[in-house]
Amino acid sequence: SMEQNKSSQGGFVLLGFSDKPQLEIILFVVILVFYILNLVGNMTIILVSSIDPKLHTPMYFFLTNLSFVDLCLTTTVAPQLLFTMRSKDKTVSYTGCVAQLYVAMGLGSTECILLVVMAYDRYAAVCRPLHYAVIMHPRLCMSLAATAWLSGLITSLIQCSLTIQLPLCGHNQLDHIFCEVPVMIKLACVDTTFNEDELFVACVVFLVVPVSLILISYGYITQAILRIKSASGRRKAFGTCSSHLIVVIIFYGTITFMYLQPAKSKSKDQGKFVSLFYTVVTPLLNPLIYTLRNKDVKGALRKLVPGKDY
């Protein structure tokens, strides 16, 4: 298959939104702004969490991991997308495309598991407050984070290695915004049933199972919130939980749309917009949602930047 792939060694053409020049300009500006805010937001979380001893807690340890995943994930996709959007030449090198394939898949899968870990941490904090310190001890936190990173790495190695083996018979036009597994599978000129089945199994492990576990833990959290006596306390807790769940639904929902549809059926443009959500939009929403409602972070920011009111 490597022989047949020689023709795509010249690289791939990423069509992106080039068929709609007006839309492309608007999206360029939007993605650029999102990317800059994303860098600022996630770097702030990493910085604040490491500097302020009050934030040396399991929640901020996991949040730091999430921010790092989000920084890397968006950086894997956005700069290259912005670059091809502005240039006449839409080609991306074969090596660049393969690197993007592996890194994006690895980081995306890691985030799928990290969000479950964070939901479990919230469950322990809300539902088992007296045992929380015992349950979420530092060694467990390290193991859970390591599990998320390792599972992302392993699934990426399996999935992407199977994908780049596929003969493409000289097809090198990707009607997408970056090099991504389902799009590469569609480009192949052989029967891809095995790859699609393999991808389906990965989707069950990284999407269906995590979402179920998150919903279960938030079910318990909701029960605990309903027992809160004060109405304002209940409102605040519901606000926090519902905002977490909204991001979770957008993230897993858009990935499910992209990965759990039969390879041949997707409308081209839908896929491009949908993948923008989990590569550009939710990585910005995460820092906003998890920290803006948060007195500790605002306090830590005040120490960092005196004289500013947040």
Side-chain angles (χ1 to χ4, degrees):
S1 79
M2 264 348 227
E3 267 318 293
Q4 284 172 297
N5 267 353
K6 279 288 176 279
S7 54
S8 54
Q9 294 288 326
F12 294 92
V13 180
L14 279 177
L15 296 174
F17 300 97
S18 53
D19 53 338
K20 307 190 178 66
Q22 271 80 29
L23 177 68
E24 196 176 34
I25 291 169
I26 297 164
L27 278 174
F28 177 82
V29 176
V30 172
I31 294 167
L32 182 62
V33 170
F34 266 65
Y35 182 55
I36 293 165
L37 291 175
N38 188 319
L39 292 181
V40 174
N42 284 304
M43 280 175 179
T44 305
I45 288 180
I46 294 170
L47 195 68
V48 166
S49 303
S50 61
I51 290 174
D52 193 333
K54 258 200 359 215
L55 301 185
H56 290 177
T57 62
M59 178 178 169
Y60 286 97
F61 170 68
F62 295 130
L63 195 53
T64 301
N65 274 275
L66 183 67
S67 285
F68 185 66
V69 172
D70 282 338
L71 266 179
C72 298
L73 181 58
T74 313
T75 302
T76 308
V77 177
Q80 190 257 314
L81 172 60
L82 290 167
F83 185 76
T84 43
M85 276 174 132
R86 291 319 303 137
S87 67
K88 289 272 173 283
D89 178 22
K90 305 286 179 193
T91 51
V92 53
S93 71
Y94 181 78
T95 320
C97 188
V98 169
Q100 201 176 40
L101 198 70
Y102 276 98
V103 177
M105 183 89 188
L107 292 166
S109 308
T110 299
E111 179 156 340
C112 285
I113 304 299
L114 253 182
L115 289 170
V116 183
V117 170
M118 292 176 76
Y120 176 69
D121 172 62
R122 291 301 81 211
Y123 158 76
V126 174
C127 300
R128 313 283 298 281
L130 300 177
H131 305 107
Y132 179 66
V134 181
I135 298 172
M136 299 305 285
H137 55 90
R139 239 201 7 264
L140 178 68
C141 293
M142 291 302 255
S143 312
L144 288 171
T147 304
W149 285 98
L150 211 67
S151 51
L153 176 70
I154 291 166
T155 190
S156 170
L157 289 175
I158 296 171
Q159 202 60 62
C160 299
S161 303
L162 284 171
T163 305
I164 60 172
Q165 306 276 308
L166 288 169
L168 303 175
C169 305
H171 301 164
N172 71 340
Q173 288 217 333
L174 286 176
D175 196 0
H176 199 49
I177 57 169
F178 72 108
C179 297
E180 194 174 13
V181 171
V183 186
M184 300 294 277
I185 291 176
K186 271 215 303 255
L187 206 61
C189 56
V190 289
D191 178 41
T192 56
T193 315
F194 176 71
N195 291 67
E196 289 175 53
D197 292 347
E198 220 285 320
L199 189 60
F200 179 77
V201 173
C203 283
V204 172
V205 175
F206 285 88
L207 297 171
V208 181
V209 175
V211 170
S212 313
L213 292 172
I214 289 172
L215 291 177
I216 291 168
S217 61
Y218 274 100
Y220 282 116
I221 290 171
T222 306
Q223 282 182 326
I225 292 173
L226 291 172
R227 291 194 208 103
I228 297 174
K229 294 283 183 282
S230 79
S232 69
R234 260 203 314 273
R235 259 205 313 278
K236 187 169 177 280
F238 265 128
T240 304
C241 286
S242 55
S243 56
H244 286 194
L245 277 176
I246 288 166
V247 176
V248 161
I249 289 164
I250 295 174
F251 179 74
Y252 289 105
T254 51
I255 293 185
T256 304
F257 180 88
M258 192 68 195
Y259 283 76
L260 268 188
Q261 281 194 356
K264 302 286 173 269
S265 73
K266 256 184 301 296
S267 121
K268 294 282 197 291
D269 286 343
Q270 273 177 324
K272 293 179 209 174
F273 282 109
V274 164
S275 58
L276 276 177
F277 275 93
Y278 53 85
T279 54
V280 178
V281 179
T282 49
L284 172 65
L285 291 182
N286 280 334
L288 294 180
I289 292 292
Y290 282 96
T291 50
L292 276 188
R293 322 186 70 99
N294 208 305
K295 288 197 188 65
D296 304 331
V297 173
K298 290 176 186 170
L301 276 172
R302 261 192 217 98
K303 277 184 233 165
L304 270 184
V305 191
K308 276 266 192 295
D309 252 342
Y310 290 97

